[in-house]
Amino acid sequence: MRGLTLSLIAAGALVAALPRAAHATPCDQIPGLTNPVYLQVGDTQLALMKRLGRAMRDNAARPVSMIFTTSGSCTNIRAIYDRTPIAAGTNVQYVPSIAENPTWDPATSPTLTCQVPVGGKVPDVANSALFNSACTTETPPPAVHHTQGPIQAYVMAAPKASSQVAITFEEAYFTFGFGMAGMASPWVDETQLFIRTVTKSTLLAWAANIGVPADKWKGVRRDGSSMVVADLEPSTSPEKAIGILGAEVYDSRRNTLKSLAFQAKGQYAAYWPDSTPSSFDKKNVRDGHYTVWSPTIWMDTEPAGQPVSPDARYVINLIAGHTVTPAPGFDMTAVVAAVGLTPACAMAVTRSFEGGPLSRYAPPESCVCKYESLVDQSNCRTCGPSNACSTGVCRNGFCEVQ
Amino acid sequence: MTTRALLMVLSLAFAAACGDDAADRPKDAGIDAPTTPDAGCFENPQTHAEIINACTTAQKVFKKPNLPLLQADGSLPSLPP
């Protein structure tokens, strides 16, 4: 079932990445777009926007229309710190409700498009897919509220035809810091190094992990993840081709791409984000064997201690795994797991800045068992009203550690 | 060899298999089986170096690339301007 789902995702991912843009109507003139929340997010979060957007349109207890645009994390931070509006007339994306299109599939169907209304719109929510300090060290405006969300992993990807299996910290340093002069065979052709522009979390996260500042990287800089995918897949030099992607982007393209295991500085072996190249459990992200990950940061505005948009805060709290009222009519952990992110409550390690050292972490309300039941199989005991846990806490039907 | 001596030798062997010194790295190369914990790993990791080298059943790759620009002491040269 998982394979079928991913095949469908892979088949539709590129199409899905492109919104239908012709003759867009102003968003505020589209019937049914109730309780709109405007979000400016990293393009690694597109899959989350589509899947959660669909669920929120149909969330009977509290329906919200998520209207979103994608941009670099650093750009998004600036937008909410400086209150920079998305310009009027800009095409932004949203997804249909079940009533509007019952067959729409978040994995394969394209988003719909509307235009930002007259006057523009400061995003209600801005997202960075890494620590904000990797973009700016300035003190955030006091009115901006920060919430840490799920964990985003990043990978080095190569065409499926490549025979390469792993890349070490030192190889990555020479490949992307020196280019051809680095002589890190086979990655010595700078036209086959597909990277991102300097505002993008994918580049900044990797930069912090291999010790090559983002503006020093050698290679072909691309604005979007889909462009890197489009570079890698048809490469006529698969052995020399390598690119950087969000893990969830790679996960949807596993039929045409491969990810390389990464050996961090001081590490004895290289590991994939998942426990094997074919699994989806993010085990090595969760336990610290795979180091290239960042928390997602979600920002909204609360100038006087109360959020300007309660609907925006509701969405953010859901993404972060917080308890919300009213409870949603869907399983948010399943949404997060389905788009390749890892809930913070399933992590066993943490860090305090981009690429920083890992330390052990025990989430206050663990969801390890629940998460593993979604992405692999849980070895935890199940529990319920008539089946108490002998140790730990019964949560979501599993005996969690705490 | 007495039992006591044998235990001492085994203890020293296990002790030598632990630690974060580069000399403790596994010497073989290639992809390990996904269910075999690695030698020289940490059972109860506390620090960053121990966490990234903790014992695991995850599949791993041992790689020793040939990097001509790596300095003799194993350090990295500065990036070009």
Side-chain angles (χ1 to χ4, degrees), chain A residues 164-171 173-174 177-178 181-184 187 211-213 216 218 261 263-272 275-277 283-284 287-289 291 349 351 356-360, chain B residues 19-22 24-26 31 34 38-42 44-49 51-71 74-81:
Chain A
Q164 298 303 308
V165 177
I167 184 167
T168 67
F169 163 81
E170 292 84 1
E171 284 180 299
Y173 180 84
F174 285 119
F178 289 72
M183 295 186 281
W187 303 296
V212 178
K216 298 274 191 185
K218 308 291 186 186
Q263 181 173 326
K265 184 179 183 180
Q267 197 167 24
Y268 301 163
Y271 296 89
W272 286 272
S275 58
T276 68
K283 180 177 185 294
N284 292 330
D287 70 15
H289 283 89
T291 61
V349 294
R351 61 174 23 136
L358 302 177
S359 56
R360 295 180 67 165
Chain B
D20 59 357
D21 191 285
D24 295 331
R25 292 184 184 197
I31 302 176
D38 37 345
C41 62
F42 293 90
N44 182 26
Q46 299 296 323
T47 67
H48 172 80
I51 287 169
I52 63 176
N53 292 305
C55 298
T56 179
T57 57
Q59 191 168 334
K60 61 188 73 67
V61 181
F62 298 119
K63 187 175 187 184
K64 289 188 173 180
N66 175 32
L67 296 169
L69 297 188
L70 203 61
Q71 297 180 342
S75 63
L76 297 168
S78 299
L79 292 168

Side-chain angles (χ1 to χ4, degrees), chain A residues 215-367:
Chain A
D215 60 349
K216 298 274 191 185
W217 278 51
K218 308 291 186 186
V220 182
R221 292 186 188 268
R222 297 301 193 195
D223 193 54
S225 299
S226 59
M227 299 168 73
V228 173
V229 170
D231 289 326
L232 289 172
E233 286 180 337
S235 174
T236 55
S237 302
E239 203 65 12
K240 296 178 178 178
I242 187 170
I244 54 174
L245 290 171
E248 83 299 337
V249 177
Y250 162 71
D251 283 346
S252 69
R253 311 298 296 182
R254 288 194 184 190
N255 59 334
T256 56
L257 299 177
K258 68 192 303 184
S259 76
L260 303 179
F262 177 66
Q263 181 173 326
K265 184 179 183 180
Q267 197 167 24
Y268 301 163
Y271 296 89
W272 286 272
D274 307 289
S275 58
T276 68
S278 59
S279 59
F280 293 87
D281 55 22
K282 301 293 178 287
K283 180 177 185 294
N284 292 330
V285 173
R286 292 186 283 130
D287 70 15
H289 283 89
Y290 189 82
T291 61
V292 191
W293 58 262
S294 311
T296 56
I297 308 294
W298 299 85
M299 294 158 277
D300 65 340
T301 310
E302 54 167 30
Q306 292 295 320
V308 169
S309 168
D311 287 330
R313 181 64 61 83
Y314 183 82
V315 170
I316 287 175
N317 283 336
L318 267 173
I319 292 172
H322 298 169
T323 300
V324 295
T325 304
F330 56 91
D331 183 344
M332 188 61 205
T333 307
V335 170
V336 168
V339 297
L341 297 169
T342 305
C345 54
M347 292 291 287
V349 294
T350 188
R351 61 174 23 136
S352 57
F353 61 91
E354 203 62 40
L358 302 177
S359 56
R360 295 180 67 165
Y361 173 68
E365 292 189 2
S366 174
C367 64

